[in-house]
Amino acid sequence: MGTITTSDGVEIHYKDWGSGQPIVFSHGWPLSADDWDGQMFFFLQHGFRVIAHDRRGHGRSGQPGEGHDMDHYADDLAELTAQLNLTGAIHVGHSTGGGEVVRYLARHGESRVAKAAIISAVPPLMVQTENNPGGLPKEVFDGFQAQLAANRARFYRELAEGPFYGFNRPGAESSEAIIQNWWRQGMMGDAKAHYDGIVAFSQTDFTEDLKKITVQVLVMHGDDDQIVPYADSAPRSAKLLKNATLQTYPGFPHGMPTTQAETINADLLAFLSA
């Protein structure tokens, strides 16, 4: 595990394994780089250099009181790629991490980037507005913040054992190990960062960011995603991107990189190797 210190003094922890073309993974809320273990081992064994960082306020990174917004997330990612002097990198983001990748590409350019993939990602915009009538009502996210503030440990347990992995669906085979690992990662982070992060992932509008991106982007999403509903996310992002491929997974949940790792890894490898 290495660290960098950002220009505003936040320590960012990251994993950096192997050599070859770099793949940079951006994790979802409220998790950490550990959520990518299944992908990092897979792509390491296929000759890639794999890198994943803990977002500010998450995992083992610093816990500043402020700066928990998409601009800071993207700037931290840009500082990491610059300090590691990455070129020809492939960026892969899950959920909030997909928003981080999109904002990074739009805000900092594509000079260091070869391709990108966004998985179960929050763009273009999650919250319901006059211009986004298919989004989720703001009251849903206000409820998330209220539950987090009241009892974060219980809230995280209920998310992991329920909608995040689709374990609440009839006939679903639940995994206590996956649930506990999700809860462990979430509780490592900072409650204030996670509270503010709900606003960041739900209210950030990525419409103009998506329009700026020219590299190839694979948009992967399950149509039974109970966290980031499919219809208002993946198809709309793919339409806004200049060079996108939309891959839809019938019945797959939000946390499909974990529960359906074999399928997701194979499709990512095919895209990256094409």
Side-chain angles (χ1 to χ4, degrees):
M1 178 71 75
T3 63
I4 66 161
T5 300
T6 66
S7 56
D8 62 343
V10 180
E11 188 175 74
I12 301 294
H13 282 236
Y14 66 92
K15 302 177 184 181
D16 186 354
W17 305 343
S19 58
Q21 186 177 16
I23 306 177
V24 183
F25 295 95
S26 293
H27 65 77
W29 175 98
L31 304 172
S32 73
D34 294 353
D35 201 45
W36 290 112
D37 284 353
Q39 284 67 48
M40 291 184 71
F41 278 115
F42 177 85
F43 285 100
L44 178 68
Q45 292 164 358
H46 282 83
F48 291 89
R49 177 184 177 185
V50 291
I51 300 160
H53 65 292
D54 292 351
R55 187 173 298 120
R56 63 169 57 206
H58 296 64
R60 292 141 294 216
S61 287
Q63 300 186 355
E66 305 299 331
H68 306 295
D69 55 74
M70 282 294 168
D71 285 350
H72 279 88
Y73 297 164
D75 293 350
D76 293 348
L77 179 56
E79 292 203 48
L80 176 67
T81 60
Q83 291 195 38
L84 295 181
N85 194 28
L86 301 182
T87 57
I90 298 153
H91 283 265
V92 180
H94 176 243
S95 193
T96 299
E100 176 181 291
V101 168
V102 166
R103 179 55 55 90
Y104 161 72
L105 291 171
R107 186 172 169 88
H108 293 278
E110 303 171 350
S111 62
R112 295 182 177 273
V113 180
K115 292 182 179 181
I118 56 175
I119 307 172
S120 311
V122 297
L125 174 62
M126 284 196 72
V127 74
Q128 186 180 71
T129 65
E130 184 177 340
N131 294 325
N132 188 44
L136 296 172
K138 183 175 180 294
E139 290 74 20
V140 171
F141 305 107
D142 293 343
F144 287 173
Q145 288 186 307
Q147 292 177 77
L148 188 155
N151 190 330
R152 181 167 65 132
R154 182 174 65 194
F155 176 48
Y156 285 2
R157 172 74 195 194
E158 290 173 351
L159 274 176
E161 69 184 9
F164 197 92
Y165 295 111
F167 292 153
N168 57 341
R169 292 306 198 201
E173 184 177 344
S174 183
S175 167
E176 183 63 23
I178 288 175
I179 293 166
Q180 289 194 20
N181 190 45
W182 197 100
W183 187 89
R184 173 190 68 85
Q185 291 180 72
M187 295 304 293
M188 285 169 64
D190 175 27
K192 173 67 161 56
H194 296 170
Y195 185 92
D196 293 349
I198 293 171
V199 173
F201 75 65
S202 67
Q203 296 187 29
T204 301
D205 190 341
F206 298 95
T207 301
E208 296 306 315
D209 301 273
L210 290 161
K211 292 177 182 178
K212 294 177 183 177
I213 296 170
T214 63
V215 296
Q216 285 184 286
V217 181
L218 178 62
V219 181
M220 312 171 80
H221 216 110
D223 70 1
D224 193 32
D225 191 323
Q226 299 174 70
I227 304 297
V228 182
Y230 172 83
D232 201 53
S233 53
R236 294 183 62 221
S237 288
K239 188 174 181 179
L240 289 163
L241 288 159
K242 290 181 171 65
N243 193 3
T245 300
L246 174 62
Q247 181 71 53
T248 303
Y249 297 88
F252 281 20
H254 186 67
M256 63 184 188
T258 297
T259 54
Q260 279 81 21
E262 184 175 346
T263 298
I264 299 305
N265 290 350
D267 288 352
L268 268 176
L269 181 62
F271 170 70
L272 303 187
S273 302

